Amino acid sequence: MIRTRFAPSPTGFLHIGGVRTALFSWAFARKHGGTFVLRIEDTDLERSTPESVKAILDGMHWVGLDYDEGPFYQTQRFDRYKEVIQQLLASGHAYPCYCSKEELEALRAEQEAKGEKPRYDRRWRPEAGKTLPPPPAGVQPVIRFKNPLDGVVAWDDAVKGRIEFANTELDDLIIARPDGSPTYNFCVVVDDWDMNITHVIRGDDHVNNTPRQINILKALNAPLPVYGHLPMILNEDGQKMSKRRDAVSVVDYADKGILPEALLNYLARLGWGHGDDELFDMKQFVEWFTLEAVSGSPSRFNHEKFLWLNAQYIKAADNARLAGLIAGRLAAANVDTSAGPALSDVVALVKERVQDLNALAQEVDYFYAKREPAAADVEKHLSADSHARMLRFAERLAALDSWTAESIHELFKPFCADEGIKMGQLGMPLRVLVCGTAQTPSVDAVLALIGKEEVLRRMRG
Ligand code: GLU
């Protein structure tokens, strides 16, 4: 039975790199009929905040990644971690270390002076035939894991292939602080074990933690999960995505008017592919997804492609849903839609023309109130002559019994013939006069939606 997890630390917002990690873990579980677990890694009491936990839960909900178990909180599992620490002490796989900060600093300075890599010299590590000094009075020790002294730790990474570390590169890791609280790498190990995680799919910033975690799992006689480390997502300049330069939080994407399904589709393509397929839903993704097809090298965020994808999803989205999604933006911009055409009908007409929801919200205003036209548009399209012509066209519109895009359209040809003008000489002035902009969808459809009375009022007003 496949079990995967997403294990974010609640120390900020939900990063889109985190969403991609969650997506791949989720897809792997879904594909194999397995279980996807959400675990909140909040052991860092100083940096973890309830707001950040909320941002993670809201973000998961917004993108629509559903989990089967959790959220589990590490802070609620301290008793269990302490129990396992006792177990490791009892089996001789861990030991108390009474080194003071000052001693460790002196050791580090000494090693650096000799040009050596600074590391703990295992002075409190019990060994056969070694006599330890008596524990200093009144000092609360840390607990260190007794890392093997030689040999290698290796695993076949499901994404990156074989990875090996020599044990000589690894320190005796602190697993409990002087106050008894467990440390990060240790909690991850106990959780992955207790939660029966079969596949640890996470960012490759954790590759260096993996050999330490494997050694602890081995000391506990726990089964080893498969590890798959996902390469980073870089920005368009090939740099690590940063909050300062790039949109990195899920909330940023919601604010930019991105649809969650577009974000997931795009993230799925970052570092994974199925031929040239760009546009696919999550059902299709789950069917296609394999860890072997995940690329071992970083991928770059391509904004143009991303917006193109979002535009496809906007075109395909239900009009009433889109109307609901832009309602708040319209209210904020003081666009009152209560007296005009149904917003979903307006959305149906303009959604082909936009790439995000903000642009969609900005395109619907003139259906409810005429825009103040730009001076250049007025000069170009509404000379005195053409304005007079528009008033003549208003007469024909006024005479219409049925007010539909078709019946309005039927007026165009005869009117242009009578006036000796081309269609553009009718359409553009009409747009500017009625809408206040020359950039609109098909003018007959626009007029039909705005309504006869309002169109005539705007033309004659
Ligand atoms: N809590 C870690 C993070 O947010 C993830 C740990 C893991 O997946 O093992 O980066």
Side-chain angles (χ1 to χ4, degrees):
M1 195 58 176
I2 301 286
R3 291 174 62 88
T4 65
R5 81 317 191 265
F6 175 48
S9 304
T11 54
F13 44 84
L14 179 56
H15 193 287
I16 56 153
V19 177
R20 201 230 3 208
T21 301
L23 172 63
F24 285 15
S25 284
W26 171 89
F28 190 76
R30 290 287 169 267
K31 180 179 174 116
H32 297 282
T35 301
F36 176 58
V37 177
L38 178 64
R39 179 167 86 218
I40 305 291
E41 302 208 317
D42 54 353
T43 41
D44 186 340
L45 298 178
E46 268 161 38
R47 292 179 61 224
S48 301
T49 65
E51 295 76 36
S52 174
V53 172
K54 186 172 180 312
I56 290 167
L57 300 181
D58 290 351
M60 294 290 282
H61 181 74
W62 182 73
V63 293
L65 289 178
D66 54 326
Y67 36 92
D68 308 299
E69 290 179 19
F72 297 112
Y73 294 86
Q74 289 187 324
T75 44
Q76 291 172 7
R77 291 178 39 79
F78 272 41
D79 289 348
R80 171 64 182 148
Y81 304 137
K82 287 180 182 168
E83 188 180 288
V84 181
I85 288 166
Q86 288 312 314
Q87 189 182 325
L88 285 173
L89 283 169
S91 65
H93 286 104
Y95 61 93
C97 164
Y98 294 87
C99 267
S100 66
K101 244 197 184 131
E102 293 70 30
E103 276 175 281
L104 288 174
E105 270 162 25
L107 175 65
R108 164 183 280 268
E110 201 179 297
Q111 288 168 333
E112 276 174 356
K114 280 194 249 164
E116 289 169 9
K117 197 169 150 195
R119 60 170 58 216
Y120 174 62
D121 62 2
R122 305 192 175 97
R123 64 181 68 169
W124 287 94
R125 176 175 169 130
E127 304 285 4
K130 172 175 169 187
T131 321
L132 294 175
V139 176
Q140 284 302 317
V142 300
I143 306 298
R144 288 184 183 269
F145 174 68
K146 220 172 164 188
N147 199 76
L149 295 175
D150 46 32
V152 294
V153 203
W155 73 95
D156 291 313
D157 196 276
V159 174
K160 293 180 176 266
R162 188 146 186 96
I163 300 182
E164 280 189 14
F165 282 81
N167 271 320
T168 49
E169 285 173 45
L170 306 173
D171 264 350
D172 280 359
L173 188 76
I174 296 176
I175 58 175
R177 301 184 187 89
D179 66 2
S181 63
T183 56
Y184 168 73
N185 271 297
F186 181 70
C187 299
V188 172
V189 165
V190 177
D191 288 348
D192 285 340
W193 179 32
D194 284 356
M195 296 172 193
N196 296 309
I197 301 302
T198 58
H199 292 72
V200 171
I201 299 165
R202 61 183 172 199
D204 66 1
D205 46 333
H206 291 283
V207 164
N208 286 328
N209 290 329
T210 305
R212 302 170 207 282
Q213 296 180 4
I214 289 178
N215 280 340
I216 301 174
L217 283 165
K218 282 184 178 162
L220 289 165
N221 274 324
L224 297 182
V226 172
Y227 292 92
H229 289 93
L230 310 173
M232 278 202 294
I233 302 173
L234 303 176
N235 71 11
E236 301 210 89
D237 301 325
Q239 301 159 312
K240 192 174 170 202
M241 283 226 178
S242 90
K243 196 177 172 176
R244 216 164 19 85
R245 284 189 302 257
D246 311 294
V248 285
S249 154
V250 164
V251 175
D252 293 339
Y253 287 85
D255 289 348
K256 280 169 170 279
I258 301 304
L259 289 178
E261 60 268 37
L263 181 62
L264 284 189
N265 185 163
Y266 188 69
L267 290 177
R269 287 285 290 111
L270 282 180
W272 174 89
H274 182 268
D276 292 332
D277 291 302
E278 297 288 355
L279 190 67
F280 45 84
D281 64 14
M282 288 303 106
K283 192 166 166 277
Q284 182 65 78
F285 176 54
V286 164
E287 218 168 272
W288 284 338
F289 184 73
T290 63
L291 284 170
E292 291 72 35
V294 175
S295 154
S297 44
S299 46
R300 277 195 198 202
F301 202 97
N302 178 329
H303 231 79
E304 203 182 311
K305 216 178 198 183
F306 176 55
L307 284 177
W308 172 82
L309 203 58
N310 198 44
Q312 309 312 307
Y313 279 96
I314 288 179
K315 265 187 230 172
D318 176 70
N319 298 320
R321 173 184 170 216
L322 292 173
L325 289 172
I326 62 170
R329 289 170 168 88
L330 294 177
N334 289 319
V335 177
D336 178 6
T337 58
S338 59
L343 184 54
S344 53
D345 292 340
V346 175
V347 160
L349 195 57
V350 299
K351 68 177 181 179
E352 307 264 332
R353 307 166 66 84
V354 300
Q355 291 196 306
D356 64 66
L357 296 176
N358 292 333
L360 184 63
Q362 281 162 12
E363 283 300 314
V364 304
D365 59 328
Y366 59 79
F367 287 85
Y368 301 98
K370 182 177 168 176
R371 255 186 221 172
E372 190 55 50
D377 276 344
V378 174
E379 197 179 320
K380 188 164 170 207
H381 301 295
L382 283 178
S383 63
D385 271 2
S386 112
H387 197 247
R389 187 181 292 130
M390 286 304 107
L391 292 179
R392 292 196 287 281
F393 189 63
E395 295 311 313
R396 304 222 181 162
L397 287 171
L400 277 182
D401 287 332
S402 116
W403 187 263
T404 64
E406 293 73 35
S407 63
I408 294 167
H409 189 84
E410 277 168 18
L411 295 178
F412 291 165
K413 249 198 189 152
F415 182 77
C416 287
D418 292 350
E419 298 274 333
I421 56 169
K422 294 201 184 83
M423 184 51 212
Q425 289 166 283
L426 169 61
M428 297 315 253
L430 192 53
R431 284 183 167 94
V432 176
L433 189 60
V434 175
C435 307
T437 169
Q439 312 296 322
T440 79
S442 190
V443 69
D444 44 12
V446 171
L447 264 48
L449 270 184
I450 293 177
K452 185 173 180 179
E453 206 180 312
E454 174 68 6
V455 166
L456 293 177
R457 200 182 61 74
R458 292 188 195 180
M459 290 181 80
R460 290 167 172 165

